[in-house]
Amino acid sequence: MASPDFSLSVVDCPLIQIEGWDGTLAQFESSLSASLGTKLPASVGETVRHKGFLVIRVAPRRLWLALDDGAQASSLAVDPDLGCSVSLGEGRVRFRMAGADIAGVLSRCIAVDWCAPAAAPGRAVLTSLHHVPVLFLRSGETACELIVPRSFSQSLSDWIADAAG
């Protein structure tokens, strides 16, 4: 769906969830940061972009590693004494949305204030769309992404298209 004021595209979302065990967070984060070659987001909702991926802190001990289109997952080895990792990519898709009317369209779909500091460009917010959990990623002044469960992607994209129409 595309118009001058709003566009929506749906693409695969290579995604890895990484979580540290309770009581090992400092050591887990140090090890993961070294493996990824970048610093980690400090608090929930923060993101860090690095070569071909985005690190998103979705919970105090949980991070999502969203790979860019065409990027291959690095050989990420998490020490099992410190935490674990699991691929979520088969179960998620990424909605890319942009346009001058994006804030209006999203206001009819999700409970995120486009103007709030928590939803500023570069931030992530876990929310829901029609009772389905989604991750909202603000990527620009008039652009964002939603990471949604694959099994709901058709109905959610229809919902957004109706809100845009």
Side-chain angles (χ1 to χ4, degrees), residues 11 53 60-61 71 74 81 84 90-91 118 122-123 149-150:
V11 296
F53 60 86
R61 296 186 336 247
S74 61
D81 291 332
C84 65
E90 292 298 319
R123 300 281 304 177
R150 185 179 298 275

Short mmCIF file of all heavy atoms in Angstrom, two decimals, residues 11 53 60-61 71 74 81 84 90-91 118 122-123 149-150:
data_model
loop_
_atom_site.label_atom_id
_atom_site.label_comp_id
_atom_site.label_asym_id
_atom_site.label_seq_id
_atom_site.Cartn_x
_atom_site.Cartn_y
_atom_site.Cartn_z
N VAL A 11 8.10 -7.00 5.07
CA VAL A 11 9.30 -7.75 4.71
C VAL A 11 9.63 -8.74 5.82
O VAL A 11 9.17 -8.59 6.96
CB VAL A 11 10.52 -6.83 4.45
CG1 VAL A 11 10.27 -5.93 3.26
CG2 VAL A 11 10.85 -6.01 5.67
N PHE A 53 22.99 -4.42 11.69
CA PHE A 53 21.96 -4.83 12.64
C PHE A 53 21.63 -3.71 13.61
O PHE A 53 22.36 -2.74 13.75
CB PHE A 53 22.35 -6.11 13.39
CG PHE A 53 23.62 -6.02 14.20
CD1 PHE A 53 23.60 -5.54 15.50
CD2 PHE A 53 24.83 -6.44 13.66
CE1 PHE A 53 24.76 -5.46 16.25
CE2 PHE A 53 26.00 -6.36 14.41
CZ PHE A 53 25.96 -5.88 15.70
N PRO A 60 14.71 -5.53 30.78
CA PRO A 60 15.97 -5.29 31.48
C PRO A 60 17.08 -6.30 31.15
O PRO A 60 18.24 -5.92 31.04
CB PRO A 60 15.57 -5.37 32.96
CG PRO A 60 14.16 -4.89 32.97
CD PRO A 60 13.56 -5.45 31.70
N ARG A 61 16.74 -7.58 30.98
CA ARG A 61 17.76 -8.59 30.67
C ARG A 61 17.62 -9.16 29.26
O ARG A 61 18.30 -10.12 28.91
CB ARG A 61 17.67 -9.74 31.68
CG ARG A 61 17.99 -9.34 33.10
CD ARG A 61 18.04 -10.53 34.06
NE ARG A 61 17.30 -11.69 33.65
CZ ARG A 61 16.21 -12.16 34.28
NH1 ARG A 61 15.74 -11.56 35.33
NH2 ARG A 61 15.60 -13.24 33.85
N ALA A 71 21.32 -9.06 5.51
CA ALA A 71 22.41 -9.32 6.46
C ALA A 71 22.29 -10.74 7.00
O ALA A 71 21.19 -11.25 7.21
CB ALA A 71 22.38 -8.32 7.60
N SER A 74 25.47 -13.21 12.54
CA SER A 74 26.85 -13.54 12.89
C SER A 74 26.85 -14.79 13.75
O SER A 74 25.83 -15.19 14.29
CB SER A 74 27.49 -12.37 13.64
OG SER A 74 26.77 -12.13 14.84
N ASP A 81 26.18 -20.28 30.76
CA ASP A 81 26.17 -19.92 32.17
C ASP A 81 25.72 -18.48 32.38
O ASP A 81 25.38 -18.09 33.50
CB ASP A 81 27.55 -20.10 32.79
CG ASP A 81 27.95 -21.57 32.89
OD1 ASP A 81 27.04 -22.43 33.01
OD2 ASP A 81 29.16 -21.86 32.83
N CYS A 84 21.17 -16.97 27.09
CA CYS A 84 20.83 -17.80 25.95
C CYS A 84 20.42 -16.93 24.77
O CYS A 84 20.17 -15.73 24.92
CB CYS A 84 19.70 -18.77 26.30
SG CYS A 84 18.14 -17.93 26.68
N GLU A 90 11.66 -16.56 12.08
CA GLU A 90 10.63 -17.31 11.36
C GLU A 90 9.23 -16.92 11.82
O GLU A 90 8.28 -17.07 11.08
CB GLU A 90 10.84 -18.82 11.56
CG GLU A 90 12.08 -19.35 10.90
CD GLU A 90 12.06 -19.19 9.39
OE1 GLU A 90 11.01 -19.42 8.77
OE2 GLU A 90 13.11 -18.83 8.83
N GLY A 91 9.14 -16.37 13.02
CA GLY A 91 7.84 -16.04 13.58
C GLY A 91 7.46 -14.57 13.51
O GLY A 91 6.43 -14.17 14.02
N ALA A 118 9.65 9.05 24.58
CA ALA A 118 9.82 7.60 24.56
C ALA A 118 9.63 7.02 23.15
O ALA A 118 10.04 5.90 22.88
CB ALA A 118 8.84 6.93 25.52
N GLY A 122 14.78 6.47 16.82
CA GLY A 122 15.80 5.66 17.46
C GLY A 122 15.32 4.93 18.69
O GLY A 122 16.07 4.17 19.29
N ARG A 123 14.06 5.11 19.06
CA ARG A 123 13.51 4.47 20.26
C ARG A 123 12.59 3.31 19.86
O ARG A 123 12.06 3.27 18.75
CB ARG A 123 12.73 5.46 21.10
CG ARG A 123 13.51 6.65 21.60
CD ARG A 123 14.36 6.36 22.77
NE ARG A 123 13.54 5.82 23.85
CZ ARG A 123 14.02 5.40 25.00
NH1 ARG A 123 15.31 5.47 25.24
NH2 ARG A 123 13.25 4.90 25.93
N PRO A 149 3.99 -10.51 14.90
CA PRO A 149 3.96 -11.96 14.68
C PRO A 149 3.53 -12.28 13.25
O PRO A 149 2.57 -11.70 12.73
CB PRO A 149 2.92 -12.46 15.69
CG PRO A 149 2.85 -11.40 16.73
CD PRO A 149 3.11 -10.11 16.00
N ARG A 150 4.25 -13.18 12.61
CA ARG A 150 3.97 -13.55 11.22
C ARG A 150 2.53 -14.04 11.04
O ARG A 150 1.87 -13.73 10.05
CB ARG A 150 4.95 -14.62 10.76
CG ARG A 150 4.83 -15.00 9.30
CD ARG A 150 5.87 -16.06 8.91
NE ARG A 150 7.23 -15.58 9.07
CZ ARG A 150 7.90 -14.88 8.16
NH1 ARG A 150 7.33 -14.56 7.02
NH2 ARG A 150 9.14 -14.50 8.39
#
